[in-house]
Amino acid sequence: MMASGFEEEQFVQACCELEQPQVEGWELFVQCHGYSVYRLFDKSSGLYQYKTYGVMEGVTPEVCADVFMDYQYRQRWDAYVKAVYETQENGQHLVFWETIFPFPMSNREYVFRSELQPMEHKGRRMWVALVRSVPSTIPERPGVVRVDSFAQTCVLTSDGKFGTKSFMYYFDNPKGNIPTWMVNWAAKKGIPEFIITMQDACRAYPSYKAQQQRHQRQQ
């Protein structure tokens, strides 16, 4: 087991998923902007797991990986992030994240560990990010719901041209009495919206980093 708590095999399995999508039994949910989104009903929670496969044009996997892991930058381009910070707890590097939910629902907060690992897989350079919720002593905020079950996987590689081929897995149990129709509507609307927004964020990232470096030199 790795120091982060992730198994090496988890990173390898993620690479295999990008190479050969595992969607047997999954429902094709929506196709948009070069991406196919699949979902699978999770009986234990009554919610869906999601997988996306596609190509993000005009950005390299290195930049996409940096954007995925740069939580401070995320606050600039993701309108649903209210607060995010990184911290240490029991020797683990953790991320605290609060997501804005529409009124009258309460916001959700997450505490998770994440790790990005560049890998060579069958002659291809890949970037694998694993994200999993963890128990934490960070106090829950009044009026905000703590999400205990959250998992995300992101795998990135070159599409052989000037873009990034990617696979993402996502599961989130927001808890509370949220109607199923609302969850489905949010997913169908939110996933395509996220893809577009992240593409724009990746394309703007080199300029953002250059600006940050200039600011640091001036201090």
Side-chain angles (χ1 to χ4, degrees):
M1 178 174 289
M2 305 181 69
S4 66
F6 294 115
E7 299 277 357
E8 185 70 25
E9 183 61 25
Q10 291 176 272
F11 291 92
V12 175
Q13 289 176 351
C15 291
C16 293
E17 179 86 14
L18 176 60
E19 181 185 47
Q20 187 172 357
Q22 302 296 312
V23 293
E24 184 176 351
W26 291 67
E27 171 194 356
L28 181 59
F29 183 50
V30 64
Q31 290 181 301
C32 61
H33 313 296
Y35 276 78
S36 297
V37 182
Y38 294 83
R39 70 179 184 178
L40 179 68
F41 187 69
D42 181 73
K43 293 181 180 179
S44 62
S45 65
L47 300 168
Y48 285 94
Q49 303 174 61
Y50 295 92
K51 290 181 178 182
T52 71
Y53 305 87
V55 173
M56 190 179 300
E57 298 180 353
V59 290
T60 66
E62 295 95 330
V63 168
C64 289
D66 287 343
V67 169
F68 189 86
M69 298 297 291
D70 191 332
Y71 297 110
Q72 295 306 312
Y73 181 56
R74 183 68 175 259
Q75 293 183 95
R76 285 179 169 247
W77 63 268
D78 190 338
Y80 295 100
V81 177
K82 182 173 183 180
V84 61
Y85 64 85
E86 298 175 66
T87 186
Q88 294 286 332
E89 185 176 296
N90 298 325
Q92 287 193 101
H93 182 81
L94 302 181
V95 179
F96 172 90
W97 184 304
E98 182 178 347
T99 296
I100 298 170
F101 269 54
F103 181 84
M105 293 184 290
S106 300
N107 287 356
R108 265 54 179 177
E109 65 179 24
Y110 305 76
V111 179
F112 57 85
R113 66 174 185 265
S114 65
E115 181 179 340
L116 173 70
Q117 186 176 141
M119 301 182 67
E120 293 291 334
H121 180 76
K122 296 186 178 179
R124 300 184 70 179
R125 185 71 165 168
M126 296 188 180
W127 287 256
V128 183
L130 300 180
V131 180
R132 301 291 185 271
S133 56
V134 295
S136 171
T137 59
I138 297 174
E140 297 183 26
R141 298 187 181 190
V144 180
V145 177
R146 174 69 58 85
V147 174
D148 302 315
S149 183
F150 165 62
Q152 189 172 16
T153 298
C154 179
V155 188
L156 308 162
T157 192
S158 171
D159 69 343
K161 301 176 184 177
F162 303 102
T164 296
K165 182 180 179 181
S166 71
F167 155 67
M168 293 185 70
Y169 166 85
Y170 186 88
F171 177 77
D172 179 353
N173 185 349
K175 300 195 300 190
N177 297 318
I178 302 176
T180 301
W181 69 264
M182 184 176 291
V183 174
N184 292 339
W185 174 84
K188 200 157 194 173
K189 176 179 181 293
I191 292 174
E193 181 181 284
F194 175 80
I195 290 170
I196 294 173
T197 307
M198 186 169 178
Q199 285 180 335
D200 291 341
C202 288
R203 290 166 184 155
Y205 192 65
S207 296
Y208 163 78
K209 290 297 291 183
Q211 183 183 38
Q212 293 294 101
Q213 291 169 359
R214 287 196 298 269
H215 179 72
Q216 291 174 359
R217 288 196 296 267
Q218 292 169 0
Q219 289 183 331

